[in-house]
Short mmCIF file of all heavy atoms in Angstrom, two decimals:
data_model
loop_
_atom_site.label_atom_id
_atom_site.label_comp_id
_atom_site.label_asym_id
_atom_site.label_seq_id
_atom_site.Cartn_x
_atom_site.Cartn_y
_atom_site.Cartn_z
N VAL A 1 -85.34 68.39 224.21
CA VAL A 1 -86.26 67.34 224.67
C VAL A 1 -87.68 67.87 224.53
O VAL A 1 -87.91 69.08 224.41
CB VAL A 1 -85.97 66.94 226.14
CG1 VAL A 1 -84.61 66.27 226.26
CG2 VAL A 1 -86.05 68.14 227.06
N ALA A 2 -88.65 66.97 224.58
CA ALA A 2 -90.02 67.32 224.22
C ALA A 2 -90.65 68.37 225.13
O ALA A 2 -91.45 69.20 224.67
CB ALA A 2 -90.89 66.06 224.22
N ASP A 3 -90.30 68.36 226.42
CA ASP A 3 -91.01 69.23 227.36
C ASP A 3 -90.19 70.41 227.85
O ASP A 3 -90.55 71.05 228.85
CB ASP A 3 -91.49 68.41 228.56
CG ASP A 3 -90.34 67.81 229.37
OD1 ASP A 3 -89.20 67.81 228.86
OD2 ASP A 3 -90.59 67.35 230.50
N GLN A 4 -89.10 70.74 227.18
CA GLN A 4 -88.25 71.84 227.65
C GLN A 4 -87.66 72.63 226.48
O GLN A 4 -87.31 72.06 225.44
CB GLN A 4 -87.09 71.28 228.49
CG GLN A 4 -86.16 72.35 229.06
CD GLN A 4 -84.79 71.78 229.42
OE1 GLN A 4 -84.01 71.39 228.56
NE2 GLN A 4 -84.53 71.72 230.73
N ILE A 5 -87.58 73.93 226.66
CA ILE A 5 -86.78 74.75 225.75
C ILE A 5 -85.69 75.45 226.56
O ILE A 5 -85.83 75.65 227.77
CB ILE A 5 -87.61 75.80 224.97
CG1 ILE A 5 -88.23 76.84 225.92
CG2 ILE A 5 -88.66 75.13 224.10
CD1 ILE A 5 -88.90 78.00 225.18
N ILE A 6 -84.59 75.77 225.88
CA ILE A 6 -83.51 76.54 226.50
C ILE A 6 -83.31 77.80 225.68
O ILE A 6 -83.02 77.72 224.47
CB ILE A 6 -82.19 75.75 226.56
CG1 ILE A 6 -82.39 74.41 227.26
CG2 ILE A 6 -81.12 76.57 227.29
CD1 ILE A 6 -81.15 73.52 227.27
N ILE A 7 -83.50 78.94 226.31
CA ILE A 7 -83.20 80.21 225.66
C ILE A 7 -81.69 80.38 225.70
O ILE A 7 -81.10 80.55 226.76
CB ILE A 7 -83.88 81.39 226.37
CG1 ILE A 7 -85.37 81.12 226.60
CG2 ILE A 7 -83.66 82.68 225.59
CD1 ILE A 7 -86.18 80.99 225.36
N GLU A 8 -81.06 80.32 224.54
CA GLU A 8 -79.60 80.40 224.47
C GLU A 8 -79.19 80.80 223.06
O GLU A 8 -79.93 80.57 222.10
CB GLU A 8 -78.96 79.05 224.84
CG GLU A 8 -79.32 77.92 223.89
CD GLU A 8 -78.67 76.59 224.27
OE1 GLU A 8 -77.96 76.55 225.29
OE2 GLU A 8 -78.87 75.61 223.53
N PRO A 9 -77.99 81.39 222.90
CA PRO A 9 -77.52 81.75 221.56
C PRO A 9 -77.28 80.51 220.71
O PRO A 9 -76.92 79.44 221.22
CB PRO A 9 -76.20 82.49 221.85
CG PRO A 9 -76.27 82.88 223.28
CD PRO A 9 -77.07 81.82 223.95
N THR A 10 -77.46 80.64 219.39
CA THR A 10 -77.24 79.52 218.48
C THR A 10 -76.36 79.91 217.29
O THR A 10 -76.28 79.18 216.32
CB THR A 10 -78.57 78.98 217.94
OG1 THR A 10 -79.26 80.02 217.23
CG2 THR A 10 -79.45 78.47 219.07
N GLU A 11 -75.68 81.05 217.37
CA GLU A 11 -74.83 81.51 216.26
C GLU A 11 -73.37 81.22 216.58
O GLU A 11 -72.55 82.12 216.80
CB GLU A 11 -75.04 83.00 216.00
CG GLU A 11 -76.36 83.33 215.35
CD GLU A 11 -76.48 82.76 213.94
OE1 GLU A 11 -75.47 82.72 213.22
OE2 GLU A 11 -77.60 82.37 213.56
N LYS A 12 -73.02 79.94 216.59
CA LYS A 12 -71.64 79.56 216.89
C LYS A 12 -70.64 80.19 215.93
O LYS A 12 -69.51 80.51 216.32
CB LYS A 12 -71.49 78.04 216.83
CG LYS A 12 -72.27 77.26 217.87
CD LYS A 12 -72.01 75.77 217.71
CE LYS A 12 -72.82 74.94 218.67
NZ LYS A 12 -72.53 73.49 218.52
N TYR A 13 -71.04 80.36 214.68
CA TYR A 13 -70.09 80.85 213.67
C TYR A 13 -69.61 82.26 213.99
O TYR A 13 -68.48 82.63 213.64
CB TYR A 13 -70.69 80.80 212.28
CG TYR A 13 -69.65 80.88 211.19
CD1 TYR A 13 -68.77 79.82 210.97
CD2 TYR A 13 -69.51 82.00 210.38
CE1 TYR A 13 -67.80 79.88 210.00
CE2 TYR A 13 -68.54 82.07 209.39
CZ TYR A 13 -67.69 81.01 209.21
OH TYR A 13 -66.72 81.07 208.23
N ARG A 14 -70.43 83.05 214.66
CA ARG A 14 -70.02 84.39 215.06
C ARG A 14 -68.78 84.33 215.96
O ARG A 14 -67.81 85.07 215.78
CB ARG A 14 -71.17 85.08 215.76
CG ARG A 14 -70.90 86.50 216.25
CD ARG A 14 -72.18 87.11 216.77
NE ARG A 14 -72.80 86.26 217.79
CZ ARG A 14 -74.10 86.15 217.96
NH1 ARG A 14 -74.95 86.81 217.21
NH2 ARG A 14 -74.58 85.38 218.94
N GLY A 15 -68.82 83.41 216.94
CA GLY A 15 -67.67 83.24 217.83
C GLY A 15 -66.48 82.63 217.12
O GLY A 15 -65.32 82.98 217.40
N ILE A 16 -66.74 81.72 216.20
CA ILE A 16 -65.66 81.09 215.43
C ILE A 16 -64.90 82.14 214.63
O ILE A 16 -63.66 82.17 214.65
CB ILE A 16 -66.24 80.01 214.50
CG1 ILE A 16 -66.70 78.79 215.32
CG2 ILE A 16 -65.22 79.59 213.45
CD1 ILE A 16 -67.49 77.77 214.52
N LEU A 17 -65.62 82.99 213.94
CA LEU A 17 -64.97 84.05 213.15
C LEU A 17 -64.12 84.95 214.04
O LEU A 17 -62.99 85.31 213.68
CB LEU A 17 -66.02 84.90 212.44
CG LEU A 17 -66.50 84.43 211.07
CD1 LEU A 17 -67.53 85.41 210.52
CD2 LEU A 17 -65.34 84.30 210.09
N GLU A 18 -64.67 85.32 215.18
CA GLU A 18 -63.94 86.19 216.11
C GLU A 18 -62.64 85.53 216.56
O GLU A 18 -61.58 86.16 216.59
CB GLU A 18 -64.82 86.51 217.31
CG GLU A 18 -64.16 87.36 218.38
CD GLU A 18 -64.21 88.84 218.06
OE1 GLU A 18 -64.87 89.23 217.10
OE2 GLU A 18 -63.54 89.59 218.79
N MET A 19 -62.71 84.24 216.89
CA MET A 19 -61.52 83.55 217.35
C MET A 19 -60.48 83.43 216.25
O MET A 19 -59.28 83.67 216.49
CB MET A 19 -61.88 82.16 217.89
CG MET A 19 -60.67 81.38 218.41
SD MET A 19 -61.11 79.84 219.25
CE MET A 19 -61.70 80.45 220.82
N VAL A 20 -60.90 83.07 215.06
CA VAL A 20 -59.96 82.92 213.94
C VAL A 20 -59.28 84.24 213.63
O VAL A 20 -58.06 84.31 213.38
CB VAL A 20 -60.66 82.34 212.71
CG1 VAL A 20 -59.75 82.40 211.47
CG2 VAL A 20 -61.09 80.89 212.97
N HIS A 21 -60.03 85.33 213.64
CA HIS A 21 -59.44 86.64 213.39
C HIS A 21 -58.43 87.01 214.48
O HIS A 21 -57.35 87.55 214.18
CB HIS A 21 -60.53 87.70 213.30
CG HIS A 21 -61.38 87.59 212.07
ND1 HIS A 21 -62.65 88.09 211.99
CD2 HIS A 21 -61.13 86.99 210.87
CE1 HIS A 21 -63.15 87.83 210.79
NE2 HIS A 21 -62.25 87.17 210.10
N LEU A 22 -58.77 86.72 215.74
CA LEU A 22 -57.84 87.00 216.83
C LEU A 22 -56.55 86.19 216.72
O LEU A 22 -55.48 86.66 217.13
CB LEU A 22 -58.51 86.70 218.18
CG LEU A 22 -59.58 87.69 218.64
CD1 LEU A 22 -60.27 87.17 219.90
CD2 LEU A 22 -58.97 89.07 218.91
N MET A 23 -56.65 84.99 216.14
CA MET A 23 -55.48 84.13 215.99
C MET A 23 -54.74 84.38 214.68
O MET A 23 -53.76 83.70 214.38
CB MET A 23 -55.91 82.65 216.06
CG MET A 23 -56.61 82.26 217.36
SD MET A 23 -55.67 82.68 218.85
CE MET A 23 -54.24 81.61 218.66
N GLY A 24 -55.19 85.36 213.91
CA GLY A 24 -54.50 85.72 212.67
C GLY A 24 -54.79 84.80 211.50
O GLY A 24 -54.05 84.78 210.51
N GLY A 25 -55.88 84.02 211.60
CA GLY A 25 -56.23 83.10 210.52
C GLY A 25 -57.16 83.73 209.51
O GLY A 25 -57.57 84.89 209.63
N LYS A 26 -57.49 82.93 208.49
CA LYS A 26 -58.38 83.39 207.42
C LYS A 26 -59.65 82.56 207.41
O LYS A 26 -59.64 81.36 207.71
CB LYS A 26 -57.68 83.29 206.07
CG LYS A 26 -56.44 84.17 205.94
CD LYS A 26 -55.81 84.01 204.56
CE LYS A 26 -54.58 84.89 204.42
NZ LYS A 26 -53.94 84.73 203.08
N GLU A 27 -60.75 83.20 207.01
CA GLU A 27 -62.04 82.53 206.99
C GLU A 27 -62.02 81.33 206.06
O GLU A 27 -62.68 80.31 206.32
CB GLU A 27 -63.12 83.52 206.57
CG GLU A 27 -64.52 82.97 206.70
CD GLU A 27 -65.59 84.04 206.50
OE1 GLU A 27 -65.23 85.24 206.35
OE2 GLU A 27 -66.78 83.68 206.47
N GLU A 28 -61.25 81.39 205.00
CA GLU A 28 -61.20 80.30 204.01
C GLU A 28 -60.60 79.02 204.59
O GLU A 28 -60.75 77.94 204.01
CB GLU A 28 -60.40 80.74 202.79
CG GLU A 28 -58.93 80.99 203.10
CD GLU A 28 -58.21 81.71 201.97
OE1 GLU A 28 -58.75 82.72 201.47
OE2 GLU A 28 -57.12 81.26 201.58
N ASP A 29 -59.95 79.12 205.74
CA ASP A 29 -59.29 77.96 206.35
C ASP A 29 -60.08 77.37 207.52
O ASP A 29 -59.57 76.52 208.26
CB ASP A 29 -57.88 78.33 206.81
CG ASP A 29 -56.98 78.70 205.64
OD1 ASP A 29 -57.05 78.01 204.61
OD2 ASP A 29 -56.22 79.69 205.76
N ILE A 30 -61.33 77.81 207.68
CA ILE A 30 -62.16 77.32 208.78
C ILE A 30 -62.82 76.00 208.40
O ILE A 30 -63.39 75.85 207.32
CB ILE A 30 -63.23 78.35 209.15
CG1 ILE A 30 -62.58 79.61 209.74
CG2 ILE A 30 -64.23 77.76 210.15
CD1 ILE A 30 -63.55 80.73 210.02
N VAL A 31 -62.75 75.05 209.33
CA VAL A 31 -63.42 73.75 209.20
C VAL A 31 -64.27 73.54 210.44
O VAL A 31 -63.82 73.81 211.56
CB VAL A 31 -62.40 72.59 209.10
CG1 VAL A 31 -63.12 71.25 209.01
CG2 VAL A 31 -61.46 72.80 207.91
#
């Protein structure tokens, strides 16, 4: 919004990769 910023992480893909690897999946199968 115009009058507020939120300091927060924005690298969702980092967590996605970690989860897929933990579940035994491959990066090529990520959607």
